[in-house]
Structure formats: structure tokens, C-alpha cells
Amino acid sequence: MYDDMLKEMKDKMAPVVEMAEINKKTVETLISLQSEYFSDFVTSGLAQVKALTEVKEPKEAFELQVKYVKELESKITGTAEKEVAALTEAKEQLTALIEKSVSEIEVPNYFGDLSKFDLPKFDLSAFDLSNYMPEAVKPKAAAKSTPRKTTAATTAAAAS
């Protein structure tokens, strides 16, 4: 009995374990890309500093810097594209796994097969709720207003 429960729990947790594995592989890929980029960045930065120390003309130094920045931009863009590709692949794998898991969910049928019973069919189109609703209450006529007595104070206030 204990072995059956353990096996059932293991089966139920398989998608979660698979999700964790997908996430682990994605993180490993991202860390690998970042560490490769960082080591390349440090190496190329040191090479750039060395090259700049050997330059005699400002124009040449400027050209070296422009070349360095373009190479750096290319490396950053390449690394970013690889990271986005890894994240997109992980998203697709996780989405497929979730869709598969949701489609395999079984809803228990607590009532069994009800088709063997001859249950009456209800035609709700003939059901008229107006017979069961109370009659609409007609609004009361507004009470007649009585004219107010005017005093000297109200007449003076209205005049100003």
C-alpha cells in the first residue's frame, strides 16, 4: 500500500520534476553564456588597453576605440540573441508540458453513467417567468405643492 501511494505521488509529481529540469538547463545555459561573455569582455578590454598604450597618434587611438566598440556591440548582440533563444525554447517546452498536463487531468464522475436512467428532458423555451413575477407597481402621483407664504425678508432676498 505504501509503495502504491509512493508510486502514485511520483507519477503525479513527474511534470513538476520535468519543469524543474527545464528551468535548470535554461539557467545553466544562461550562466554559461554570461560567463563566456564576461571572460571575453575582460580579455578584449585588456587587449584594447594594451593596444591604446602603443598608439602615438590621437586619430589612430580614436579608430581603435571605434573598432573596439563595434566588436563589443556585436558580441553583446550575439550573446543577447543566444539568451533570448534559450529563454524562448524553455518557454515553449514549459508551455507544451503544462498543456499536456492539463489535458491529462481527469475529472471524477461522482454520479456514474446517468444515460441509463430515463430522465425527463426539460424544454425551457416554453417556461415563462412572467407568470411568477409580481405586477409592476405604478408610481404614485406627485403630491400637490402648496404655495409658500412670502415674507418681507424672502421678497427682499429674491429682489437682490
Side-chain angles (χ1 to χ4, degrees):
M1 181 175 121
Y2 178 74
D3 291 336
D4 291 340
M5 286 177 28
L6 189 61
K7 183 185 180 308
E8 183 179 347
M9 181 60 80
K10 202 175 197 181
D11 291 344
K12 299 273 185 200
M13 293 301 290
V16 175
V17 171
E18 193 173 340
M19 288 175 79
E21 189 64 31
I22 292 169
N23 286 333
K24 183 183 111 184
K25 287 179 183 177
T26 304
V27 168
E28 287 173 350
T29 302
L30 294 175
I31 290 172
S32 171
L33 287 168
Q34 282 296 311
S35 64
E36 179 184 318
Y37 169 74
F38 182 74
S39 67
D40 190 37
F41 177 73
V42 170
T43 305
S44 64
L46 291 173
Q48 179 67 9
V49 169
K50 183 180 178 191
L52 286 174
T53 58
E54 297 171 358
V55 171
K56 304 284 187 224
E57 296 292 320
K59 182 178 180 183
E60 192 178 345
F62 179 76
E63 289 171 356
L64 276 175
Q65 279 298 96
V66 168
K67 180 182 173 189
Y68 173 72
V69 169
K70 286 183 179 181
E71 288 174 2
L72 188 63
E73 178 187 18
S74 171
K75 290 174 187 175
I76 291 172
T77 303
T79 302
E81 287 173 353
K82 290 175 186 175
E83 289 174 344
V84 168
L87 290 170
T88 303
E89 181 183 346
K91 177 188 156 237
E92 289 171 356
Q93 289 175 348
L94 290 170
T95 302
L97 179 65
I98 290 170
E99 287 175 352
K100 179 182 173 234
S101 296
V102 168
S103 69
E104 291 175 353
I105 293 176
E106 295 180 17
V107 179
N109 187 356
Y110 294 111
F111 299 108
D113 184 19
L114 296 178
S115 64
K116 59 186 171 187
F117 298 105
D118 188 26
L119 298 173
K121 305 283 188 242
F122 293 103
D123 182 19
L124 295 178
S125 63
F127 189 66
D128 185 18
L129 283 178
S130 63
N131 295 334
Y132 302 100
M133 302 299 288
E135 291 292 322
V137 179
K138 294 180 182 176
K140 294 181 181 178
K144 293 182 181 177
S145 63
T146 56
R148 300 178 93 188
K149 292 184 181 179
T150 57
T151 61
T154 56
T155 308
S160 53

